Amino acid sequence: MATINDVSRLAGVSKATVSRVLSGSRGVKEASRVAVLKAAEELKYRPNVIAQSLYSQSTNCIGVICAQENVNQTTAYLYALEKQLSQHQKHLLLRFAHTKAEIMTALDELNCGLCDDVLIIGARFPLNIEDDNVILINCTEAESPNSIQYDHAFAAETACNFLINNGKRQIALIHPDTAGAADRVLLGYKLALENNFLPFNRNLVFMDSLSTSVALQVLLNNASTVNFNALLVANEQEAQNAISQLQAFNKSVPGDIMVFSLAGSLDLPGIPTIPAIEYSMDVMASQIVSWLTEKTQHMLGSSVLRGDLIIPDMRKR
């Protein structure tokens, strides 16, 4: 088994330099950093995590409390974070929690020496956490000193503009408050209608606690009096359910009704690929890891991430 001495000799640098590179410390020349990483890879060297922790008073572990119920999006978050963290010799410790009590319990556990910092993803209720080692990601009403939020108003406005430009001027919006940021979504929706000189029809908007399937059933039952040719939903799972329901009513997608997802898109067998707003998990993970490694409070603060418009025929397959 290779040791730090072996890496030092092969890279042509001191053991201290090897230690600084592998711990992610700053102040190392780029040439030395590259040489150390190359030597470590060639020798298949793995540092002793416990010894490193005792020496540096740091676990190099980042706790992740996932309250995000969208399975596909959860996977994307974790994959991007693990990839970025591993490049800085940091490790991910995962917990799942779906209530405020569960989140606070997990946070107390992770903060008791298991992790240096904690990320909380996708909580749909106020947490009011003021710890400077906690980052809230896409959480409702984030009050943390450090948070990353999606620009939901911009997403809804972009989605509506796209639909209108494609001749879909009767846009139904189903975004239950349980999905989070309903007020911001509604703001973007109204702004797009106003800018395109379209009236706001309250009968096309469902923002209360109704499920997407129930709200869509109401729309379909009232089709004789309330016409719609586009449907805006919170995420890809809601879109998938809506598409199946529309097809059961002999509505073609996107022919009769164009479905648009405000968070992620579908590319599944038998399901039409739909336009969507997608958020770069790699960009978000890179921003988070930069803050974690630099640890200066002014780097993050309250940050907003805007999504990209993804159009079906432009997707990379």
Side-chain angles (χ1 to χ4, degrees), residues 75-91:
T75 302
Y77 274 124
L78 298 179
Y79 178 79
L81 283 169
E82 196 280 331
K83 183 171 67 174
Q84 291 286 337
L85 288 169
S86 65
Q87 293 176 8
H88 292 80
Q89 289 74 53
K90 292 185 180 294
H91 313 284

Side-chain angles (χ1 to χ4, degrees), residues 227-242:
N227 294 319
F228 71 103
N229 53 18
L231 177 62
L232 201 55
V233 294
N235 55 53
E236 59 188 20
Q237 288 185 332
E238 299 295 338
Q240 182 176 358
N241 294 336

Side-chain angles (χ1 to χ4, degrees), residues 59 105-115 118:
T59 67
T105 298
L107 181 59
D108 287 343
E109 176 189 348
L110 294 173
N111 267 338
C112 288
L114 289 177
C115 300
V118 179

Side-chain angles (χ1 to χ4, degrees), residues 2-317:
T3 67
I4 192 171
N5 291 324
D6 299 324
V7 177
S8 172
R9 282 193 294 269
L10 183 58
V13 300
S14 67
K15 288 194 296 181
T17 298
V18 173
S19 180
R20 286 199 300 274
V21 170
L22 296 181
S23 65
S25 300
R26 303 178 63 188
V28 179
K29 293 181 179 178
E30 181 63 18
S32 297
R33 189 185 72 84
V34 171
V36 168
L37 294 177
K38 181 179 180 182
E41 183 177 359
E42 286 185 20
L43 295 170
K44 294 182 171 54
Y45 172 72
R46 295 293 180 268
N48 187 315
V49 175
I50 297 176
Q52 280 189 334
S53 298
L54 292 173
Y55 175 77
S56 65
Q57 297 296 300
S58 170
T59 67
N60 279 328
C61 282
I62 306 301
V64 177
I65 302 174
C66 191
Q68 173 72 49
E69 294 184 353
N70 186 326
V71 176
N72 291 336
Q73 196 170 47
T74 295
T75 302
Y77 274 124
L78 298 179
Y79 178 79
L81 283 169
E82 196 280 331
K83 183 171 67 174
Q84 291 286 337
L85 288 169
S86 65
Q87 293 176 8
H88 292 80
Q89 289 74 53
K90 292 185 180 294
H91 313 284
L92 185 154
L93 190 56
L94 178 64
R95 295 288 185 273
F96 289 97
H98 297 294
T99 68
K100 184 174 182 177
E102 289 176 354
I103 288 177
M104 301 311 293
T105 298
L107 181 59
D108 287 343
E109 176 189 348
L110 294 173
N111 267 338
C112 288
L114 289 177
C115 300
D116 300 323
D117 301 281
V118 179
L119 315 178
I120 301 177
I121 300 175
R124 290 293 169 253
F125 31 76
L127 292 172
N128 302 319
I129 295 172
E130 297 183 357
D131 295 351
D132 59 9
N133 71 320
V134 176
I135 300 177
L136 302 187
I137 303 170
N138 191 28
C139 292
T140 299
E141 299 181 26
E143 296 293 337
S144 169
N146 300 292
S147 66
I148 297 179
Q149 297 296 317
Y150 290 172
D151 193 338
H152 296 282
F154 177 79
E157 183 180 2
T158 300
C160 289
N161 285 334
F162 170 81
L163 292 168
I164 293 167
N165 289 336
N166 280 270
K168 306 297 184 179
R169 301 172 68 84
Q170 290 79 42
I171 304 171
L173 170 63
I174 301 178
H175 199 284
D177 194 47
T178 52
D183 56 338
R184 302 296 300 168
V185 170
L186 184 58
L187 175 64
Y189 175 85
K190 287 182 174 180
L191 186 59
L193 295 181
E194 181 181 338
N195 290 338
N196 287 277
F197 306 103
L198 294 175
F200 173 72
N201 185 345
R202 189 175 300 276
N203 293 323
L204 289 175
V205 176
F206 295 82
M207 308 295 285
D208 54 21
S209 59
L210 285 176
S211 68
T212 297
S213 59
V214 171
L216 183 53
Q217 187 70 50
V218 172
L219 279 170
L220 291 168
N221 288 342
N222 296 332
S224 59
T225 56
V226 181
N227 294 319
F228 71 103
N229 53 18
L231 177 62
L232 201 55
V233 294
N235 55 53
E236 59 188 20
Q237 288 185 332
E238 299 295 338
Q240 182 176 358
N241 294 336
I243 290 172
S244 298
Q245 194 171 351
L246 288 169
Q247 291 175 334
F249 274 77
N250 295 319
K251 300 290 185 182
S252 66
V253 178
D256 295 327
I257 298 173
M258 184 177 287
V259 178
F260 195 111
S261 166
L262 286 172
S265 59
L266 295 171
D267 194 3
L268 301 173
I271 300 294
T273 303
I274 63 172
I277 299 294
E278 286 189 346
Y279 296 88
S280 172
M281 296 294 103
D282 287 332
V283 169
M284 178 179 286
S286 178
Q287 186 176 2
I288 292 168
V289 172
S290 293
W291 182 84
L292 292 173
T293 54
E294 299 289 346
K295 250 337 180 29
T296 58
Q297 296 299 313
H298 297 295
M299 285 189 61
L300 187 56
S302 182
S303 178
V304 176
L305 181 69
R306 285 188 167 180
D308 299 314
L309 173 63
I310 304 298
I311 304 172
D313 60 3
M314 294 175 61
R315 288 178 60 87
K316 295 180 180 179
R317 295 183 179 274

